[in-house]
């Protein structure tokens, strides 16, 4: 009786647990490799049959494995009224260390997979030697001993004997001392042989400039990629590719301070330095008041353009100098960086004569010879000619009068009065020959004589008109001065700097005032401070660096308050009284 009750209880318990077992999920972990090399990846599939209602907890992998990629697929099947659901989680894993690195149990709530043993071999323990690997990552640095701010060339090469579907390479991140890193040009592709095997090479160059003394360390660069054609348990046709990772060797460079004999000289460590002056090797001839531009260029190999100093240009008295802002540009290729500085200087001569622009010198450090060198722009000789026609020049639009007027030619058909005889002479001739009966001929002679007289009077009247028309009317100097001065004011009010300067040159050329020399420079020397400052501002606008807007209001106001010669007449003694 007791035994039968026990059997009945066990049977009822099994009936209760059967539905729970039917709805429990089954989790299975499958890896395509159980042995691998460091830097290679494996594919792990988590197959779940049933409904867990939760996502997998992958945090257990973070200690020894890096999850590079993950995907998910599901399948639902209905057969003979039975409903089944399965989910497959695909993971790409990269080991973080060598040795025995098992894949731990991965759980979906209370449903977990079994752990998988995986052995990861170090590079030295790999079956194939390094030189026979299908993928290599190399790095080198040159030179290994430098001074502060000297260029270091860092070169990294990726060699592969398999097709790369994609890949990425990290950039160098130097440590130990502060440094500036700049990539050089585009990647180079070529072929080479290593260990008798042909490799495709992708080479990338960097320039590194240490900013302090010490040991500069370059950690290993990391390459992550996918190679094509690798088959696996889950991808027999190699469509998915194989994830690979390689590390370049770590390198270091010793950085020393500048030499002790620097003594305040600019610090420019370069392998070569070239200078160019567009005024060298030729005769430079300038004209007073006309600007000219001198271009100086410095090219330094192994030095960034930002490190090159501004060029200080000194000019002798008789010149106004307007230096432009230097243009800086870096040219790079696989041999390094070449910094280029271009300095433009506008010079305006103010007095005629022969001048010499002094030499421009600065020191730089030759990193190849390890010694100081001197860069030098040679002196330049300049001949400054006076402004042509600035004394007694006639302003445009006013012609000079001829010395002797030219009489117009005689009209066609007219007869010169000097060659004709008056009618009275004909009458006396007739008397000597005897009296003739009067008839038609005397009246004809009288008509011809009157016609000749009318022709002579008409010719004299027309000649006088032509002479007066051909004779130019020269404006008085005061009128010409007012006309050109008015042109200056109009150009200034229009805020046109070029037209204003041309008008100023024309006005100063014809200006005749006590104490004012001919020419724009003479005008500025005699003018009060507001006029000089306004003209100087005009010159800066025309010749100083950059594009500047100019307003002629200050010049107009200054000229309205100053008329050349008025100060002199105001200082004269007044006329004596008529009745002292």
């Amino acid at each position: 009786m007791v035994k039968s009750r026990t059997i009945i209880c066990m049977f009822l318990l099994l009936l209760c647990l059967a539905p729970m077992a039917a709805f429990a999920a089954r989790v299975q972990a499958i890896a395509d490799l159980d042995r691998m090399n460091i830097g290679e990846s494996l594919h792990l599939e988590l197959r779940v049959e049933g409904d867990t209602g939760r996502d997998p907890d992958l945090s257990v992998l973070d200690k020894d494995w890096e999850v590079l990629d993950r995907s998910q697929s599901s399948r639902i099947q209905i057969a003979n009224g039975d409903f089944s659901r399965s989910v497959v989680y695909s993971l790409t894993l990269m080991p973080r260390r060598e040795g025995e690195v098992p894949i731990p149990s991965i759980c979906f709530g209370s449903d977990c997979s079994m752990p998988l043993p995986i052995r990861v071999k170090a590079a030295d323990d790999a079956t194939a030697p390094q030189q026979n690997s299908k993928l290599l990552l190399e790095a080198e640095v040159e030179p290994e001993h430098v001074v502060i701010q000297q260029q270091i060339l860092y070169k990294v090469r990726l060699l592969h004997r398999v097709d790369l579907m994609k890949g990425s390479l990290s950039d160098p991140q130097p440590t130990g001392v502060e440094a500036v890193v700049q990539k050089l040009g585009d990647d180079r592709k070529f072929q080479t042989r290593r260990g008798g095997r042909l490799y495709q090479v992708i080479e990338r160059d960097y320039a590194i400039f240490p900013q302090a003394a010490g040991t500069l360390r370059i950690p290993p660069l990391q390459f992550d990629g996918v190679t094509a054609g690798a088959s696996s348990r889950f991808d027999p046709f190699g469509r998915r590719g194989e994830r690979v990772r390689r590390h370049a060797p770590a390198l270091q460079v010793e950085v020393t301070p500048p030499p002790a004999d620097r003594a305040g000289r600019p610090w420019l460590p370069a392998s070569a330095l070239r200078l160019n002056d567009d005024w060298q090797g030729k005769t430079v001839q300038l004209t007073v008041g006309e600007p000219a531009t001198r271009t100086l260029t410095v090219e330094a190999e192994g030095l960034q353009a930002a490190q090159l100093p501004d060029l200080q240009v000194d000019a002798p008295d008789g010149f106004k100098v307007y230096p432009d802002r230097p243009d800086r540009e870096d040219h790079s290729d696989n041999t390094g960086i070449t910094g280029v500085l271009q300095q433009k200087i506008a010079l305006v001569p103010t007095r005629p004569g022969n001048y010499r622009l002094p030499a421009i010198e600065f020191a730089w450090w030759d990193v190849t010879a390890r010694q100081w060198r001197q860069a030098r722009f040679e002196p330049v000789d300049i001949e400054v000619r006076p402004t042509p026609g600035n004394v007694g020049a006639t302003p445009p639009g006013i012609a000079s009068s001829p010395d002797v007027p030219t009489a117009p030619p005689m009209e066609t058909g007219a007869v010169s009065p000097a060659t004709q005889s008056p009618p009275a002479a004909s009458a006396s001739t007739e008397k000597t020959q005897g009296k003739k009966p009067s008839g038609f001929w005397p009246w004809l002679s009288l008509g011809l004589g009157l016609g000749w007289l009318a022709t002579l009077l008409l010719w004299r009247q027309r000649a006088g008109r032509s002479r007066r028309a051909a004779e130019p009317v020269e404006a008085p100097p005061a009128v010409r001065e007012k006309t050109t001065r008015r042109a200056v004011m109009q150009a200034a009010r229009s805020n046109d700097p070029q037209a204003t300067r041309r008008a100023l040159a024309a006005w100063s050329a014809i200006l005749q005032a006590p104490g004012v020399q001919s020419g724009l420079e003479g005008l500025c020397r005699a003018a009060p401070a507001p006029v000089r400052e306004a003209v100087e501002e005009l010159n800066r606008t025309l010749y100083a660096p950059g594009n500047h807007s100019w307003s002629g209001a200050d010049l107009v106001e200054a000229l309205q308050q100053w008329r050349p010669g008025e100060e002199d007449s105001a200082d004269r003694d007044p006329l004596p009284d008529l009745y002292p």
Side-chain angles (χ1 to χ4, degrees):
M1 187 68 180
V2 175
K3 184 181 292 185
S4 60
R5 289 180 178 177
T6 301
I7 294 174
I8 292 173
C9 290
M10 293 178 64
F11 179 74
L12 294 174
L13 181 59
L14 291 174
L15 291 177
C16 293
L17 293 176
M20 298 178 61
F23 288 100
R26 186 165 65 94
V27 180
Q28 184 181 10
I30 303 175
D32 62 344
L33 297 173
D34 58 358
R35 295 185 180 185
M36 59 186 302
N37 298 325
I38 189 69
E40 297 178 351
S41 63
L42 63 80
H43 296 282
L44 175 68
E45 285 193 355
L46 300 175
R47 300 177 179 177
V48 181
E49 296 182 0
D51 187 8
T52 62
R54 296 187 181 182
D55 293 330
D57 182 12
L58 302 181
S59 60
V60 295
L61 297 172
D62 293 342
K63 180 180 179 181
D64 296 326
W65 297 90
E66 180 182 353
V67 180
L68 303 178
D69 191 16
R70 59 182 294 179
S71 61
Q72 177 183 343
S73 62
S74 59
R75 184 180 63 177
I76 298 176
Q77 183 177 3
I78 302 176
N80 298 327
D82 294 333
F83 175 84
S84 62
R85 180 177 182 270
S86 61
V87 181
V88 177
Y89 294 86
S90 298
L91 306 177
T92 302
L93 304 179
M94 181 75 69
R96 297 183 184 273
R97 60 181 178 88
E98 302 92 355
E100 298 296 333
V101 188
I103 295 177
S105 297
I106 301 177
C107 298
F108 295 77
S110 60
D111 301 318
C112 301
S113 65
M114 297 295 294
L116 298 178
I118 303 295
R119 182 183 177 187
V120 180
K121 295 181 293 183
D124 296 337
D125 298 335
T127 304
Q130 181 72 8
Q131 59 268 23
N132 294 332
S133 175
K134 296 181 180 180
L135 193 67
L136 300 175
L137 189 61
E138 302 175 345
E140 62 183 32
V141 67
E142 181 185 8
E144 297 181 353
H145 297 274
V146 298
V147 292
I148 291 177
Q149 296 182 350
Q150 179 181 344
Q151 177 181 254
I152 302 171
L153 294 179
Y154 179 75
K155 194 181 299 291
V156 57
R157 287 183 291 267
L158 177 67
L159 298 85
H160 60 94
R161 292 191 294 114
V162 293
D163 293 334
L164 291 175
M165 298 175 61
K166 61 180 180 179
S168 63
L169 179 66
S170 61
D171 292 326
Q173 302 290 336
T175 60
V177 298
E178 183 182 357
V180 176
V181 180
Q182 183 172 341
K183 186 177 179 294
L184 300 177
D186 299 327
D187 296 345
R188 299 175 57 241
K189 296 182 180 180
F190 56 93
Q191 294 181 343
T192 188
R193 288 188 177 274
R194 297 291 172 85
R197 297 179 181 272
L198 184 64
Y199 284 88
Q200 303 291 327
V201 183
I202 302 175
E203 185 177 83
R204 184 174 295 178
D205 299 291
Y206 295 89
I208 303 176
F209 297 89
Q211 304 298 308
T215 301
L216 184 142
R217 297 179 177 85
I218 305 176
L221 268 62
Q222 177 176 301
F223 172 79
D224 289 300
V226 179
T227 59
S231 60
S232 65
R233 179 176 179 180
F234 306 125
D235 187 18
F237 299 102
R239 298 177 180 176
R240 184 184 301 173
E242 179 184 3
R243 300 293 293 262
V244 294
R245 174 176 291 175
R246 293 292 185 271
H247 290 90
L251 301 173
Q252 67 179 31
V253 178
E254 295 298 328
V255 184
T256 58
D261 59 345
R262 178 180 176 183
R265 285 178 277 197
W267 181 237
L268 304 173
S271 57
L273 194 138
R274 296 181 293 273
L275 305 178
N276 183 57
D277 183 1
D278 65 343
W279 281 13
Q280 288 290 342
K282 61 182 180 182
T283 303
V284 181
Q285 293 182 343
L286 305 180
T287 303
V288 171
E290 296 184 2
T293 301
R294 182 185 183 188
T295 303
L296 305 176
T297 305
V298 181
E299 298 182 5
E301 295 183 4
L303 199 66
Q304 291 178 305
Q307 298 174 255
L308 294 172
D310 294 348
L311 300 178
Q312 303 297 328
V313 180
D314 296 328
D317 293 340
F319 279 87
K320 293 183 179 181
V321 181
Y322 302 94
D324 200 351
R325 182 177 303 169
D327 292 332
R328 303 175 186 270
E329 186 177 3
D330 289 331
H331 299 165
S332 62
D333 54 23
N334 60 333
T335 62
I337 289 180
T338 299
V340 179
L341 179 142
Q342 188 176 81
Q343 177 85 56
K344 292 182 179 293
I345 305 102
L347 295 98
V348 182
T350 60
R351 293 196 301 270
N354 294 322
Y355 299 89
R356 167 167 286 193
L357 299 182
I360 304 173
E361 297 181 338
F362 60 91
W364 63 283
W365 177 256
D366 188 340
V367 297
T368 304
R370 297 188 177 184
Q371 63 180 7
W372 289 102
R373 297 191 183 276
Q374 196 75 9
R376 175 183 173 88
F377 288 99
E378 297 297 332
V380 178
D381 293 327
I382 299 178
E383 177 187 353
V384 180
R385 296 170 295 186
T387 304
N390 64 344
V391 178
T394 303
I398 302 178
S400 59
S401 60
D403 294 335
V404 179
T406 303
M410 191 176 302
E411 292 184 5
T412 303
V415 181
S416 173
T419 63
Q420 301 299 323
S421 300
S426 297
S428 62
T429 303
E430 291 180 358
K431 289 181 179 180
T432 59
Q433 293 180 354
K435 290 185 178 181
K436 299 278 183 174
S438 59
F440 172 75
W441 294 109
W443 295 103
L444 178 61
S445 299
L446 180 61
L448 291 175
L450 292 175
W452 292 335
L453 182 60
T455 301
L456 178 61
L457 295 175
L458 181 63
W459 175 81
R460 292 180 62 87
Q461 183 180 6
R462 184 171 297 180
R465 291 179 180 177
S466 301
R467 188 182 300 109
R468 287 192 299 270
E471 183 177 352
V473 179
E474 181 178 0
V479 175
R480 287 184 293 163
E481 189 274 336
K482 290 182 179 179
T483 302
T484 53
R485 188 175 187 275
R486 189 180 303 112
V488 175
M489 305 291 278
Q490 292 176 354
R493 290 191 178 98
S494 300
N495 298 326
D496 187 342
Q498 296 180 352
T500 303
R501 199 180 193 283
R502 289 194 299 267
L504 278 172
W507 180 43
S508 61
I510 67 171
L511 184 62
Q512 297 179 1
V516 180
Q517 298 180 0
S518 179
L520 184 56
E521 295 301 324
L523 175 68
C524 291
R525 283 194 292 269
V531 176
R532 291 197 302 270
E533 293 173 359
V535 174
E536 183 67 22
E537 179 64 26
L538 174 64
N539 289 333
R540 281 194 294 270
T541 302
L542 290 173
Y543 310 123
N547 296 324
H548 304 284
S549 60
W550 179 74
S551 175
D554 293 341
L555 181 59
V556 171
E557 182 179 358
L559 291 179
Q560 287 176 344
Q561 298 177 1
W562 176 66
R563 288 188 176 273
E566 288 187 354
E567 295 87 346
D568 183 75
S569 61
D571 294 338
R572 297 176 184 174
D573 294 334
L575 292 175
D577 296 335
L578 292 177
Y579 304 100

